[in-house]
Amino acid sequence: MVQGLFQLNPFSNVLFVFCNRKKDKLKILFRDYNGFWFYYRRLEKGLFDRPDPLELDDFEHNPSYDYLHRQLLQEELLHADETGLQILDEPDKTTQSKSYMWLYRTSGVSKKPMVLFNYRVSRSSENPKDFLKGYEGYLNVDGYAGYESA
């Protein structure tokens, strides 16, 4: 399907995500140096539920995210940025307060292009420091001083 219908290379380092017409089944295809990974999930009630903000930290500790995170930290050059957003009904925060989505991506010349998102309730400099722990490459960022400790 990837090769025939979409005329894309299934052997590239791209994550392919498919959803059926009823939107109650999800299939993900990815290839790395070990071979193809195929993930299949039947969705309850045909919906993608928005995760509870309290569970977002748990999401970042699942095997797929951990694998991609380790791969990202092996890159020579990364780009990072953060953006404020409002989450309605977030525990211990007013609806007017901001939370932050941190984005980390590989460079345009990477052989394994990827983007990882990291949700946090604050803009603390501890966020990139924790996420990039052990990273020894170059980090391209805007002028936000919070990246200096990373």
Side-chain angles (χ1 to χ4, degrees):
M1 181 177 197
V2 169
Q3 217 169 12
L5 185 62
F6 298 116
Q7 298 179 353
L8 297 172
N9 182 1
F11 297 98
S12 63
N13 291 320
V14 175
L15 184 71
F16 297 98
V17 180
F18 302 94
C19 189
N20 67 343
R21 285 186 182 147
K22 290 173 37 180
K23 296 187 173 69
D24 63 350
K25 294 180 181 109
L26 182 70
K27 295 179 182 178
I28 299 174
L29 178 66
F30 176 74
R31 182 183 174 272
D32 69 4
Y33 61 91
N34 287 321
F36 282 99
W37 292 42
F38 182 74
Y39 178 79
Y40 172 81
R41 173 83 181 195
R42 183 179 56 82
L43 305 171
E44 296 297 322
K45 302 178 188 172
L47 302 173
F48 288 104
D49 287 335
R50 178 182 65 85
D52 184 316
L54 293 176
E55 296 172 5
L56 287 172
D57 283 337
D58 292 338
F59 172 79
E60 293 162 3
H61 297 289
N62 74 49
S64 298
Y65 190 91
D66 288 344
Y67 171 79
L68 292 172
H69 188 201
R70 286 191 307 272
Q71 295 296 308
L72 188 83
L73 295 180
Q74 292 176 13
E75 292 288 322
E76 184 178 351
L77 173 64
L78 294 178
H79 301 273
D81 199 10
E82 81 291 337
T83 188
L85 53 102
Q86 288 180 307
I87 304 285
L88 300 177
D89 300 324
E90 188 167 14
D92 302 322
K93 292 186 88 169
T94 66
T95 55
Q96 293 80 21
S97 63
K98 280 189 177 181
S99 295
Y100 289 85
M101 187 64 72
W102 298 74
L103 175 144
Y104 301 90
R105 65 162 293 148
T106 55
S107 72
V109 297
S110 174
K111 293 181 182 177
K112 296 181 179 180
M114 69 179 81
V115 178
L116 285 182
F117 295 90
N118 187 252
Y119 170 82
R120 292 288 176 243
V121 295
S122 75
R123 197 177 184 210
S124 166
S125 62
E126 290 299 310
N127 297 328
K129 184 177 177 181
D130 290 343
F131 188 87
L132 296 167
K133 185 177 182 180
Y135 180 63
E136 297 179 0
Y138 297 97
L139 183 63
N140 183 24
V141 298
D142 58 17
Y144 175 52
Y147 291 109
E148 291 179 16
S149 65

